[in-house]
Amino acid sequence: MAQWTSAVGAAQLARQLQAQQPRPAGPGARKPPAYRALADGIRLLVLEGRVPVAARLPAERELALSLTVSRTTVAAAYEALRTEGFLESRRGAGSWTAVPAGNPLPARGLEPLPPETLGSLIDLGCAALPAPEPWLTRSVQGALEELPPYAHTHGDYPAGLPALRATLAERYTARGIPTMPEQIMVTTGAMGAIDAICHLFAGRGERIAVESPSYANILQLMREAGARLVPVAMSEGLGSWDLGRWRQMLRDAAPRLAYVVADFHNPTGALADEDQRRGLVEAARAAGTVLVVDETMTELHLDDDVRMPRPVCAFDPAGSTVLTVGSASKAFWAGMRIGWVRAAPDVIRSLVAARAYADLGTPVLEQLGVNWLMRTGGWEEAVALRRAQARENRDALVAAVRRELPEWEFEVPRGGLTLWVRTGGLSGSRLAEAGERVGVRVPSGPRFGVDGAFEGYIRLPFTVGGPVAEEAASRLAAAARLVESGLGGGAEAPRTFVA
């Protein structure tokens, strides 16, 4: 019986491998043989979770043709991986990826580390901040006071609590987009909202257009739903969307869905202006594409003189082309798993009907907590604390990285929670692996792309400040030195993991 649970095609694996930057040989060292470089590249993909464990690899002949190398090179690379514990094979069943005994299974997304590991490892993988107290405690207390009437019901509200739907609708109306409660569905976080949208609009094999780069966890969600991702390159720096590319792609590929982050884009921090928003909505409407707009960062403008453009849905007030997704996770706290969708009433009804086969509804207590915050003014107070903390962390991290790694390049975003960094020619994948060795966890650029793009980047979130930001930059510099010396990956390096 085969031991593999998924498969990776030769062309896809070749694209991912060819996007990788070669491992530096180190001063005076010779270039590694071709089979070693190939084995090292596959091992990196497995360790980063971009090729899943128990995935069947292409036959030697197929991969050799896709990479334009000899079959002997592929056979030797596979044998090296088997020796190291990263590949298992069985006659008649092929070869599939594995991890050596004692190694943790690699994460495919950007899951936060368990709290007990935070003392020994600086986590720059998750772009989320601690709760803004005292507002979390007050929101829970307020929710408990309002809970008794709901406790006498069955507790299932597939569209969300009527009170919270009304509050969210009022907030959109106050932003200049008239909205009825019937246009709101409350979800379990933004991920729950986008998962529901993908299942309703984009069946397996449907095209979904995405920014390139884009939010890693959403890309993985769409891949696992069976979507065919169509990447559209962002403008350089903080320029946001390249409308020419978007118009051409929408016209040529006609994707069923397009997913974008207009406000302080994750990971680049770009902010789309009003002309870009209007133009993208018009292009999506003409192509018959549903535009899913992620607004989870919209309230996190960090500089006082930032003038926020109108929301994307302002250019489609009826909600027939634009589906807006919001969340309490970034602006308030990731542990408050409350998200929402704003769309046309018929779309909301369809999403609610489809939800009956998923999670039935979102926890009542958390909905009451968010509603209490928004009704009492606590939300604005908490978000102001969040902005101040993120601004302080951003400034500390930027200063520390510029001091420790002056050859790295980035533009400082004026909002959001992330810094998109070009790593001076070093491989982001190798930096991520080396970082684990020296006590800093950082996601590599390819996690935010399609088929291996952005190997020369990493993402740094504004989650640490002060001395911790300085120490994080120091450890990143140590990881960079490992990579530059040729020890940041490769079979000869010890495979150790920080607990």
Side-chain angles (χ1 to χ4, degrees):
M1 180 179 177
Q3 301 297 307
W4 50 272
T5 57
S6 62
V8 57
Q12 177 189 359
L13 183 58
R15 286 194 299 271
Q16 290 180 293
L17 289 166
Q18 288 165 347
Q20 290 180 334
Q21 293 164 322
R23 177 166 59 91
R30 292 182 298 176
K31 181 180 179 180
Y35 86 89
R36 180 67 263 166
L38 175 55
D40 186 29
I42 294 174
R43 184 179 62 84
L44 273 176
L45 292 174
V46 173
L47 286 173
E48 282 220 312
R50 290 187 282 127
V51 168
V53 175
R56 186 179 186 273
L57 292 185
E60 295 169 2
R61 186 183 303 276
E62 294 176 17
L63 186 57
L65 287 171
S66 292
L67 290 172
T68 62
V69 299
S70 71
R71 183 177 176 181
T72 302
T73 297
V74 178
Y78 279 14
E79 180 57 34
L81 289 167
R82 276 189 287 270
T83 300
E84 296 158 17
F86 286 93
L87 197 69
E88 296 180 10
S89 303
R90 181 175 298 171
R91 186 179 298 275
S95 299
W96 56 92
T97 56
V99 293
N103 281 22
L105 286 175
R108 302 209 68 194
L110 300 179
E111 294 86 351
L113 289 171
E116 60 269 19
T117 68
L118 297 182
S120 57
L121 186 62
I122 298 175
D123 185 9
L124 297 181
C126 184
L129 289 162
E133 288 288 23
W135 295 105
L136 174 62
T137 298
R138 292 179 182 176
S139 71
V140 173
Q141 292 170 340
L144 287 172
E145 292 175 1
E146 297 176 6
L147 181 62
Y150 295 94
H152 294 294
T153 72
H154 50 63
D156 288 332
Y157 296 88
L161 291 185
L164 180 55
R165 295 176 74 194
T167 297
L168 291 167
E170 290 171 10
R171 291 177 69 85
Y172 278 106
T173 300
R175 293 170 66 191
I177 304 99
T179 302
M180 304 178 293
E182 292 79 9
Q183 290 178 263
I184 301 291
M185 181 177 86
V186 181
T187 62
T188 307
M191 292 287 288
I194 294 170
D195 183 58
I197 291 168
C198 288
H199 279 88
L200 179 63
F201 284 93
R204 185 166 292 273
E206 290 273 10
R207 294 185 182 92
I208 300 180
V210 295
E211 297 152 323
S212 183
S214 186
Y215 178 36
N217 285 341
I218 293 296
L219 294 181
Q220 192 58 37
L221 181 156
M222 291 174 175
R223 289 188 189 103
E224 294 183 357
R228 298 164 59 191
L229 299 183
V230 182
V232 184
M234 299 280 286
S235 295
E236 285 296 319
L238 300 179
S240 198
W241 303 322
D242 184 325
L243 276 183
R245 286 175 174 159
W246 271 100
R247 289 190 181 103
Q248 181 178 352
M249 181 281 303
L250 290 169
R251 183 173 59 249
D252 295 346
R256 186 71 182 93
L257 286 179
Y259 167 77
V260 297
V261 184
D263 301 320
F264 309 118
H265 174 260
N266 185 354
T268 69
L271 177 65
D273 62 33
E274 287 206 5
D275 288 341
Q276 290 175 320
R277 295 168 191 237
R278 181 185 295 106
L280 187 56
V281 171
E282 291 172 353
R285 184 182 294 118
T289 297
V290 175
L291 194 58
V292 182
V293 179
D294 185 332
E295 281 195 340
T296 53
M297 299 282 190
T298 193
E299 296 190 71
L300 293 177
H301 43 89
L302 304 185
D303 295 331
D304 293 337
D305 59 344
V306 174
R307 296 186 61 182
M308 292 299 295
R310 285 181 292 170
V312 178
C313 58
F315 305 100
D316 178 51
S320 56
T321 296
V322 176
L323 310 186
T324 302
V325 173
S327 171
S329 296
K330 300 298 185 184
F332 185 71
W333 185 48
M336 189 74 85
R337 302 302 307 154
I338 300 297
W340 53 86
V341 181
R342 181 200 179 274
D346 62 318
V347 173
I348 294 298
R349 286 193 294 270
S350 297
L351 287 169
V352 171
R355 190 178 193 178
Y357 305 101
D359 64 354
L360 290 178
T362 302
V364 169
L365 190 64
E366 284 86 342
Q367 291 188 73
L368 288 172
V370 171
N371 191 55
W372 181 90
L373 285 166
M374 291 181 171
R375 287 290 188 186
T376 61
W379 179 269
E380 283 70 26
E381 296 280 351
V383 170
L385 288 176
R386 171 67 75 238
R387 289 193 196 109
Q389 185 179 14
R391 183 188 309 113
E392 182 179 333
N393 288 355
R394 178 197 63 182
D395 295 345
L397 185 64
V398 164
V401 172
R402 282 178 170 162
R403 182 177 61 252
E404 296 286 343
L405 294 149
E407 67 278 14
W408 287 13
E409 302 172 31
F410 53 84
E411 289 191 46
V412 181
R414 309 195 68 192
L417 290 173
T418 57
L419 195 67
W420 186 235
V421 180
R422 192 193 302 267
T423 54
L426 298 180
S427 161
S429 299
R430 298 182 198 283
L431 279 167
E433 185 184 10
E436 295 275 352
R437 300 162 182 256
V438 298
V440 60
R441 179 182 185 240
V442 59
S444 67
R447 287 184 175 269
F448 303 88
V450 176
D451 285 342
F454 306 109
E455 185 60 60
Y457 290 82
I458 60 172
R459 189 196 73 172
L460 301 179
F462 310 143
T463 52
V464 297
V468 180
E470 294 177 5
E471 178 63 21
S474 176
R475 294 185 187 186
L476 285 171
R481 289 192 292 271
L482 273 179
V483 174
E484 288 169 341
S485 70
L487 297 178
E492 71 278 8
R495 289 189 291 273
T496 56
F497 294 84
V498 179

